[in-house]
């Protein structure tokens, strides 16, 4: 078959929803994404998202480097921050490169296995980040409310155990969510109205009644999202009660500067995740799903290092030292 005929067949495949209720099953999906946008709009989106992705990778990469190499950043807070940046790198790499490719090519088809793999990685990394953010709030609580015992409570061994717990829960929970998402066969329309394989949208395409799977994912979201959120709220409520009982305005200012960045990240991430996985499907739609999906897949990972670096003097100092060493090394090599 000639190239022109292949492109024509691809266009027919994309333009017509596939209804396979005659007994055959879906073996691939079509990510609609921004397919309906004009070529000029897609070119603009490609340039924008490429810039955001590059910035997110560079900033998170820099934070990983300085938190793991700078001896002045050896506290538990920076240990957790380094792992948060690593999770963000994994998160955006799972979804954004594929979206960038689909913005410039006409073929938006992904295999069944690729969709499953992407969804599992999103589940795994997303759940691990939810739990890690809760552990970071607990770290701030111990540091501010129990400073004398902070070194003993948040020892290196404890921090490693907490990070391992976040990763382990993400890996195990991802298996459950993956099974619930693909437990039914797929024999309906194979068009996914988003730029990546998002669970609620994929489940709605399966045969039979998808309500059981959606209810299980909703219940899981309550545990994964609301339980860490409860720990975060309790931690910051106790922090607030502690600093209000102090007379020092400088102590209030320092506490606010160290906690505000973490709270900002929590609000960004949890708001978008709750909308995607805890809202009834009747309230969803392509115009509503995509902005929130973009928020937690690229905007939040990009904003995390910016928020932490601009509100933290130690981070800014470490970045300056790291960039200074890089410039010096380049000058010496010339």
């Amino acid at each position: 078959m000639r190239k022109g005929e292949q492109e024509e067949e691809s266009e027919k495949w994309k333009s017509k929803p596939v209804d396979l209720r005659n007994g055959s099953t879906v073996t691939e999906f079509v990510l609609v994404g921004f397919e309906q946008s004009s070529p000029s709009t897609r070119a603009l989106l490609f340039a924008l998202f490429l810039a955001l992705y590059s910035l997110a990778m560079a900033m998170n990469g820099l934070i990983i480097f300085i938190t793991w190499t700078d001896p002045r950043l050896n506290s538990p807070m920076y240990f957790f921050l380094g792992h948060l940046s690593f999770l963000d790198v994994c998160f955006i790499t799972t979804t954004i490169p594929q979206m960038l490719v689909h913005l410039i090519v006409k073929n938006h088809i992904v295999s069944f296995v690729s969709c499953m793999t992407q969804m599992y990685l999103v589940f795994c990394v997303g759940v691990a980040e939810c739990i890690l953010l809760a552990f970071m709030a607990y770290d701030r609580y111990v540091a501010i409310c129990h400073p004398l015992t902070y070194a003993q409570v948040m020892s290196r061994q404890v921090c490693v155990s907490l990070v391992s717990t976040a990763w382990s829960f993400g890996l195990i929970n991802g298996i459950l969510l993956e099974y619930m998402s693909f437990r039914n066969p797929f024999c309906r329309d194979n068009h996914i109205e988003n730029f990546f394989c998002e669970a609620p949208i994929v489940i709605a395409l399966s045969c039979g009644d998808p309500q059981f799977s959606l209810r299980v994912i909703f219940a899981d979201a309550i545990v994964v999202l609301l339980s860490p959120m409860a720990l975060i709220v309790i931690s910051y409520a106790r922090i607030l009660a502690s600093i209000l009982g102090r007379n020092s305005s400088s102590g209030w200012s320092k506490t606010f500067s160290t906690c505000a960045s973490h709270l900002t990240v929590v609000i960004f991430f949890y708001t978008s995740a709750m909308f995607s996985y805890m809202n009834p499907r009747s309230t969803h739609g392509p115009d509503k799903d995509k902005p929130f999906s973009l928020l937690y897949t690229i905007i939040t990972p990009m904003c995390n290092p910016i928020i932490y670096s601009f509100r933290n003097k130690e981070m800014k100092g470490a970045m300056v030292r790291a960039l200074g060493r890089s410039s010096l090394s380049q000058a010496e090599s010339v």
Side-chain angles (χ1 to χ4, degrees):
M1 185 180 290
R2 294 191 302 273
K3 183 178 179 181
E5 294 176 348
Q6 290 178 338
E7 291 180 354
E8 184 178 351
E9 288 297 320
S10 177
E11 288 298 320
K12 289 179 180 179
W13 173 262
K14 288 167 57 180
S15 61
K16 295 181 180 180
V18 178
D19 192 345
L20 301 171
R21 283 172 285 188
N22 58 0
S24 57
T25 58
V26 170
T27 58
E28 52 193 17
F29 295 98
V30 179
L31 295 176
V32 176
F34 301 95
E35 187 182 61
Q36 306 302 324
S37 303
S38 65
S40 58
T41 301
R42 289 201 299 271
L44 179 62
L45 290 174
F46 175 82
L48 174 62
F49 292 141
L50 178 61
L52 294 178
Y53 175 71
S54 301
L55 179 61
M57 290 292 289
M59 293 293 290
N60 280 292
L62 180 59
I63 285 185
I64 293 170
F65 176 75
I66 63 177
T67 54
W68 291 0
T69 60
D70 195 320
R72 304 183 194 185
L73 303 180
N74 59 356
S75 69
M77 180 176 74
Y78 299 112
F79 176 78
F80 290 132
L81 180 57
H83 283 276
L84 178 65
S85 290
F86 181 72
L87 284 171
D88 284 338
V89 167
C90 295
F91 209 173
I92 57 179
T93 303
T94 301
T95 56
I96 303 306
Q98 181 188 66
M99 180 187 69
L100 292 173
V101 171
H102 287 175
L103 283 170
I104 58 176
V105 301
K106 293 182 179 181
N107 187 357
H108 295 183
I109 297 174
V110 295
S111 68
F112 194 89
V113 173
S114 297
C115 189
M116 288 182 66
T117 303
Q118 184 184 59
M119 192 182 296
Y120 176 76
L121 292 174
V122 169
F123 280 143
C124 173
V125 177
V127 170
E129 186 157 338
C130 286
I131 297 173
L132 184 62
L133 288 171
F135 290 154
M136 293 175 73
Y138 176 72
D139 169 70
R140 291 298 82 211
Y141 158 71
V142 177
I144 294 168
C145 298
H146 303 282
L148 298 180
T149 58
Y150 177 63
Q152 289 74 32
V153 174
M154 300 300 295
S155 64
R156 183 75 175 185
Q157 183 178 0
V158 170
C159 293
V160 171
S161 298
L162 292 177
V163 170
S164 300
T165 299
W167 273 106
S168 300
F169 195 84
L171 291 168
I172 296 171
N173 191 255
I175 296 174
L176 168 65
L177 297 176
E178 184 86 344
Y179 170 75
M180 296 311 303
S181 300
F182 291 94
R183 59 187 290 269
N184 292 323
F186 291 83
C187 55
R188 297 178 179 173
D189 180 14
N190 67 338
H191 284 56
I192 299 174
E193 295 287 343
N194 210 330
F195 58 88
F196 73 102
C197 294
E198 192 169 35
I201 302 175
V202 173
I203 291 173
L205 301 177
S206 62
C207 300
D209 185 8
Q211 292 306 312
F212 177 72
S213 294
L214 290 173
R215 282 195 292 268
V216 171
I217 287 185
F218 179 82
D220 184 82
I222 292 177
V223 176
V224 171
L225 293 173
L226 296 189
S227 297
M229 177 65 79
L231 178 59
I232 292 170
V233 170
I234 292 171
S235 297
Y236 279 104
R238 294 191 174 184
I239 289 172
L240 181 62
S242 175
I243 61 178
L244 288 177
R246 302 174 185 176
N247 296 324
S248 173
S249 59
S250 61
W252 160 264
S253 177
K254 184 177 180 180
T255 301
F256 179 80
S257 65
T258 57
C259 296
S261 54
H262 181 253
L263 278 174
T264 305
V265 169
V266 166
I267 291 170
F268 269 124
F269 186 80
Y270 274 84
T271 300
S272 54
M274 285 180 177
F275 177 87
S276 296
Y277 293 97
M278 296 188 68
N279 261 10
R281 287 306 303 166
S282 59
T283 65
H284 287 233
D287 294 336
K288 295 179 181 178
D289 289 332
K290 288 176 190 174
F292 281 94
S293 297
L294 286 170
L295 182 60
Y296 75 84
T297 56
I298 188 168
I299 304 300
T300 300
M302 181 201 67
C303 289
N304 284 356
I306 296 175
I307 292 170
Y308 278 108
S309 61
F310 278 125
R311 297 201 62 89
N312 190 298
K313 292 181 179 179
E314 291 179 338
M315 282 297 301
K316 286 190 284 188
M319 286 184 174
V320 170
R321 289 193 297 272
L323 295 174
R325 289 196 302 269
S326 176
S327 299
L328 182 61
S329 299
Q330 291 179 357
E332 291 177 348
S333 63
V334 174

